[in-house]
Amino acid sequence: MTPSVVVFDLGKVLVDFDYSIAARKIAERSARPAIDIRKLLDHSPLLYRYETGLMTRQEFFEEVRRATGFRGTIEEFSGFFADIFWEIPSMIEIQAKLRRQGVPTYIFSNTNDLAILHLRQNFPFFANFDGYILSYEIGAMKPDAKIYEALERMAGKRGAEVLYLDDRQENVDGGAARGWQVILQTTPGQSIAAMEKLGLIA
């Protein structure tokens, strides 16, 4: 069955990122080395609370400042923290092609408001989706069923009508458990070939 909607994870699917970029900049204004700051930012319990909407941007900043001794302002921190992304061009082009063909596309991401603000301001492709399911707005992170349910409600599609691309096995497993068609992205070329095989793109 050819899917009728395509759902993209954000990080490592449409954009690449590296928290060590932020860690180095924050470390220059902090009492802790970059390696410690990266651990604090990347897949940490603190980041989990922020990305599930359990703490505000200000609260997240205050926690990081207490943990690191960061001496800058929240505005400086926000810029350092969010400026870690770069586009994966072939995937951006595929999403644009799907859109031109009339296939609805959605972003489905474990993320935070600082990252999304930065992407909206600096990456024009980000505006070109039919909808956005973002963990900090939903109050749940993949692979929690709650966030998958939110995507189904927004898209008005279920089961094999949905194609979902993500770079994390546990997340695609969450989609597959709902009957979604899934692609575990290992390389852009592999994902594009899988979409061609499904008849989505020629």
Side-chain angles (χ1 to χ4, degrees), residues 86-152:
W86 61 97
E87 291 183 359
I88 300 175
S90 57
M91 295 303 296
I92 303 300
E93 290 165 11
I94 284 298
Q95 186 272 333
K97 185 172 184 178
L98 290 169
R99 187 174 176 85
R100 288 193 298 271
Q101 293 174 184
V103 178
T105 57
Y106 296 84
I107 282 179
F108 184 52
S109 180
N110 290 344
T111 190
N112 59 78
D113 65 332
L114 277 174
I116 295 302
L117 177 63
H118 178 79
L119 289 163
R120 287 191 194 282
Q121 291 176 341
N122 295 282
F123 293 82
F125 84 87
F126 193 81
N128 299 323
F129 289 80
D130 292 88
Y132 306 81
I133 295 292
L134 309 171
S135 61
Y136 74 94
E137 294 181 338
I138 301 300
M141 292 178 77
K142 299 176 290 187
D144 188 318
K146 179 180 177 182
I147 194 168
Y148 296 80
E149 292 163 2
L151 186 283
E152 290 174 347

Side-chain angles (χ1 to χ4, degrees), residues 120-187:
R120 287 191 194 282
Q121 291 176 341
N122 295 282
F123 293 82
F125 84 87
F126 193 81
N128 299 323
F129 289 80
D130 292 88
Y132 306 81
I133 295 292
L134 309 171
S135 61
Y136 74 94
E137 294 181 338
I138 301 300
M141 292 178 77
K142 299 176 290 187
D144 188 318
K146 179 180 177 182
I147 194 168
Y148 296 80
E149 292 163 2
L151 186 283
E152 290 174 347
R153 286 194 299 272
M154 177 178 283
K157 303 293 182 182
R158 302 185 67 173
E161 294 177 297
V162 179
L163 173 64
Y164 168 38
L165 295 85
D166 199 296
D167 67 305
R168 297 183 70 88
Q169 185 69 58
E170 66 270 26
N171 295 344
V172 297
D173 288 348
R178 306 184 71 81
W180 296 6
Q181 299 188 63
V182 297
I183 296 171
L184 177 65
Q185 179 153 318
T186 54
T187 67

Side-chain angles (χ1 to χ4, degrees), residues 1 5 11 30 42 51-52 66 71 75 78 81-82 94 100 107 115 117 122 132 148 150-151 163 173 179 192:
M1 174 182 178
V5 301
S30 300
D42 190 0
E51 294 198 333
T52 50
R66 276 194 288 272
R71 296 181 293 275
E75 289 78 19
S78 298
F81 176 74
I94 284 298
R100 288 193 298 271
I107 282 179
L117 177 63
N122 295 282
Y132 306 81
Y148 296 80
L151 186 283
L163 173 64
D173 288 348
I192 292 165

Side-chain angles (χ1 to χ4, degrees), residues 22-23 26-27 30 32-42 68:
I26 293 168
S30 300
R32 299 283 293 277
I35 190 169
D36 290 351
I37 293 170
R38 179 173 178 172
K39 289 177 184 175
L40 183 70
L41 298 179
D42 190 0
T68 65

